[in-house]
Amino acid sequence: MKNRLLLSATIAAGMLASAPAMAADYVAGSHDKSLTNVWGSCEHAPLGANARTGVGANGKIYVQVHNTGTVQVYDKDGKAKDIKIADKIWVSITADDAGHIISRSDVGGWAGPEGAGWYLSENAKLTVIDSKTDEIIKDVAMPGGPKCRFDALPHVQGDLLNGFCAIHAVHNGAGQIFTEFSYQDGEHINTSNIPVTIHEAFTGNPAGNQTLGQVQAFGDGTKLAVYANPFYAETSSLNGFGNGIALYELVDDAWEYTGKYFVTPNHSSIGGFMVFEVNGVEYIVYAAGEAEKGVPSGDGFAIAKVTYTDTPVSNPETDKEALVAVKYAALDAEDNMLYKPGANLQCFNVEPVENEEGSVYIYTYNQGSVMSQWKFTPPVQSGITDVTGDMESVAVRGGKGEITVEGAAAEVYNAAGMLVAKGAGSIKCAAGLYIVKTGDKAQKVVVK
């Protein structure tokens, strides 16, 4: 627990086509004005299933090619470098907040001693690459986990080589669990297996059947976003289960399921996401967009403000209020999607824009589709910045866990001026100070 709290105080927040892929070459579908394309490769390397995951950092995208045992580095001018890891490696690659590229590079590589990619504690390790120099720094052990398989690694909060951090993996073949590998200054200190709670909506789709789930720590290090059920062609907004990323919280030094789910409107049927923060506001970026059931976009994604619901079941009307920005699929002249997914996972990584506090870079990669870098500048938050007037004609009062509004519909804002609820009558709210607005009238209300 001590290490986690310390973390919260230190978080800052040759296969490519011969013609280099420049930013101007990437003609995407229409997208939200808060998103700007930095660069993207239309002429994606034809690597197929051998390059399932990639991650971006420092203006580059790192693609793990498991059959050659290399990490290929791309920038706006095309492929820049091959980093040799081993004869063969597994398919998972990610990054931490410090810009270290973290490639799963088990001894024995693909397919492993007991089948395709099986994780075994005696041969499991990670190779850490410096994204500034593209040189290998060191290998890091990840021992103690169960015999299982996992194909995806989430963004790693903190710095793997300095201070405390944890890496999480959702398993296939090891029951309904995810595993947390804890590190201090780049040395393994603990491995824990955490049970996954399955919502009744997913009783026919146990979490243990997927290899592309993800678990990411975010916020102050005491919260986890857990996506244990990214069932291809099933768990999507179009199929009615688009809010499947669950919230876990640290309670008495143990992870506990909260019963809450991230609201992710227009979530497609492929996995992959990242929770991040800009100007004190939390957002989540995730794979989005489907032309029909089971046919998602390979390059589309959406960004939503972090809000929660008590079910993974989608609600098209209310969910859309969380949506902040959308990068739509690129289309051909007949309005068909140019890029369909080559894998069940779309990879994301977010990093701050240097000397620009209000913006971040978003990197995205999907096997067989485009790799790209985007700049995201959130729109100015609408809300109440100055409370004037009164509400003499509308009765408003705060109570235990709710605000009661009589005689009108109201908007409820938190003390920072951000909209948190709408409605009339009894409006559920956590304890705190709120501003309740009807028309141009507003007043402060305390909920206990």
Side-chain angles (χ1 to χ4, degrees):
M1 182 66 162
K2 179 180 178 182
N3 283 328
R4 296 183 195 281
L5 295 178
L6 286 174
L7 173 64
S8 68
T10 59
I11 294 172
M15 302 285 287
L16 196 66
S18 57
M22 307 296 288
D25 296 330
Y26 184 35
V27 183
S30 60
H31 57 82
D32 189 276
K33 62 184 179 181
S34 61
L35 286 167
T36 305
N37 182 235
V38 179
W39 67 271
S41 169
C42 265
E43 299 169 309
H44 180 268
L47 299 175
N50 291 321
R52 298 185 187 178
T53 58
V55 66
N58 276 316
K60 296 169 285 188
I61 292 179
Y62 297 76
V63 180
Q64 190 182 55
V65 188
H66 72 75
N67 66 324
T68 61
T70 59
V71 171
Q72 295 187 354
V73 186
Y74 295 87
D75 59 22
K76 62 184 180 63
D77 296 319
K79 192 175 83 167
K81 187 175 183 178
D82 276 309
I83 303 173
K84 184 68 174 180
I85 304 293
D87 290 336
K88 293 183 179 181
I89 53 179
W90 188 220
V91 297
S92 308
I93 191 168
T94 188
D96 64 15
D97 286 337
H100 296 123
I101 305 302
I102 303 167
S103 171
R104 185 176 161 198
S105 53
D106 300 357
V107 176
W110 179 276
E114 296 191 25
W118 283 95
Y119 164 87
L120 297 172
S121 59
E122 63 266 29
N123 77 334
K125 69 172 183 175
L126 301 165
T127 294
V128 183
I129 299 168
D130 184 346
S131 65
K132 296 183 177 66
T133 64
D134 293 334
E135 300 295 331
I136 295 174
I137 302 174
K138 65 179 295 186
D139 288 335
V140 175
M142 50 184 319
K147 175 184 174 181
C148 60
R149 171 177 169 172
F150 62 89
D151 287 6
L153 290 172
H155 177 84
V156 177
Q157 188 183 40
D159 182 340
L160 178 61
L161 302 185
N162 295 284
F164 174 84
C165 79
I167 297 175
H168 301 88
V170 175
H171 293 308
N172 163 271
Q176 296 175 359
I177 66 169
F178 63 86
T179 295
E180 177 179 81
F181 301 91
S182 299
Y183 296 88
Q184 184 71 42
D185 298 327
E187 300 297 328
H188 175 264
I189 57 174
N190 187 53
T191 297
S192 302
N193 296 319
I194 295 94
V196 173
T197 300
I198 303 301
H199 190 277
E200 60 183 6
F202 294 128
T203 53
N205 299 327
N209 287 347
Q210 267 293 349
T211 64
L212 289 164
Q214 283 190 317
V215 179
Q216 183 207 334
F218 69 99
D220 62 359
T222 62
K223 296 185 288 185
L224 294 178
V226 179
Y227 197 19
N229 299 85
F231 284 83
Y232 194 55
E234 294 182 31
T235 48
S236 70
S237 295
L238 195 62
N239 285 280
F241 298 100
N243 296 337
I245 303 173
L247 175 67
Y248 283 61
E249 291 183 344
L250 194 66
V251 180
D252 296 329
D253 212 25
W255 291 112
E256 292 189 3
Y257 167 69
T258 65
K260 297 295 182 183
Y261 291 81
F262 286 74
V263 177
T264 51
N266 203 34
H267 203 303
S268 79
S269 56
I270 53 179
F273 70 91
M274 181 174 168
V275 183
F276 62 98
E277 184 177 303
V278 183
N279 289 339
V281 179
E282 289 180 337
Y283 300 91
I284 180 169
V285 57
Y286 53 93
E290 289 182 285
E292 57 187 76
K293 290 186 177 182
V295 187
S297 161
D299 64 327
F301 61 89
I303 302 168
K305 188 184 300 181
V306 169
T307 53
Y308 303 104
T309 179
D310 60 1
T311 172
V313 178
S314 307
N315 186 325
E317 292 304 313
T318 59
D319 287 356
K320 63 185 179 183
E321 295 180 4
L323 198 60
V324 176
V326 178
K327 189 277 170 192
Y328 296 99
L331 306 176
D332 63 17
E334 284 73 43
D335 289 337
N336 298 311
M337 288 188 297
L338 283 173
Y339 304 109
K340 297 181 181 179
N344 295 20
L345 182 76
Q346 188 165 353
C347 305
F348 296 99
N349 193 43
V350 180
E351 67 180 6
V353 176
E354 189 175 359
N355 300 320
E356 196 171 331
E357 293 184 2
S359 299
V360 294
Y361 289 127
I362 296 176
Y363 301 88
T364 179
Y365 172 85
N366 182 277
Q367 171 195 314
S369 182
V370 296
M371 60 178 80
S372 56
Q373 179 185 2
W374 296 80
K375 181 179 177 182
F376 171 56
T377 304
V380 176
Q381 299 297 322
S382 61
I384 298 176
T385 58
D386 185 28
V387 180
T388 59
D390 56 37
M391 297 179 64
E392 294 178 356
S393 61
V394 180
V396 179
R397 59 184 180 274
K400 187 174 182 180
E402 67 180 27
I403 293 172
T404 302
V405 182
E406 297 178 0
E411 296 177 345
V412 180
Y413 296 81
N414 63 18
M418 293 176 57
L419 180 67
V420 295
K422 292 181 180 180
S426 177
I427 303 173
K428 301 296 183 184
C429 294
L433 175 66
Y434 294 91
I435 302 165
V436 182
K437 179 176 180 289
T438 300
D440 60 354
K441 307 292 185 181
Q443 74 179 56
K444 295 178 182 179
V445 175
V446 175
V447 175
K448 298 179 180 179

